[in-house]
Amino acid sequence: MTAETAETVRQDVPGPEVPADGTELPPLTVTLTRSDLVRYAGASEDFNPVHWNPRVAREAGLPDVIAHGMLTMAIAARAVTDWTGDPGAIVEYRTRFSRPVPVPDGPGGALVEVGGRVARWLGDGLVRIDLTVTCGGTKVLSEARAVVRLRSAPAPAPAPAPA
């Protein structure tokens, strides 16, 4: 860890550096387009037409085509794996789907925003991460949390791209 983040590391824990409770993960924003939904449908074999056909989505009472719940869940998990630098660090992950993610047609798509924080050190290198996942200011996942095993210090936030 860098000197700038040293105050956010627990000093009373042997082994890998464990971030202090309340440490914020770098935010993640992902733009989902209809094209992304079609590709995800192919990869997951979930061809439910509410994910690609606006008429069917509206007939089902939805505002528009919606993102797959598991895709939204995967985006949230990416915020955790980006932070740990190790996709294998997640040992437990859960959430509830609270609202759909409507994906309008066009290049702007839908912005899914993920924030997270270290909620609690669990011992043995394990920490619980609580996530907040929103789209258009609406919380789309509830009780989103992951337990990760830290083998080393989490990856620092990426440096801004040079102008």
Side-chain angles (χ1 to χ4, degrees):
M1 290 213 142
T2 64
E4 298 87 78
T5 60
E7 68 277 359
T8 63
V9 176
R10 290 181 59 111
Q11 301 298 319
D12 61 335
V13 180
E17 293 179 352
V18 177
D21 294 356
T23 299
E24 298 284 330
L25 276 64
L28 173 67
T29 300
V30 174
T31 301
L32 285 179
T33 65
R34 297 265 178 100
S35 180
D36 295 324
L37 301 185
V38 170
R39 284 193 295 276
Y40 185 82
S44 67
E45 297 185 1
D46 180 352
F47 297 104
N48 186 326
V50 299
H51 301 303
W52 56 269
N53 186 316
R55 180 186 52 78
V56 172
R58 288 187 185 97
E59 286 173 359
L62 298 166
D64 206 337
V65 166
I66 61 169
H68 301 73
M70 295 302 285
L71 176 57
T72 306
M73 190 175 175
I75 290 168
R78 184 173 135 202
V80 177
T81 61
D82 285 355
W83 178 69
T84 64
D86 177 11
I90 295 179
V91 296
E92 182 181 316
Y93 181 46
R94 61 170 280 181
T95 191
R96 301 180 121 215
F97 303 108
S98 52
R99 296 278 186 262
V101 175
V103 180
D105 199 9
L111 293 179
V112 177
E113 298 175 297
V114 184
R117 68 176 184 80
V118 173
R120 186 172 51 199
W121 176 66
L122 303 173
D124 194 28
L126 297 173
V127 294
R128 189 183 93 199
I129 308 296
D130 288 350
L131 299 165
T132 302
V133 185
T134 61
C135 179
T138 299
K139 193 172 184 180
V140 295
L141 297 181
S142 298
E143 300 176 29
R145 63 181 55 126
V147 174
V148 297
R149 180 174 309 281
L150 299 178
R151 289 167 177 67
S152 62

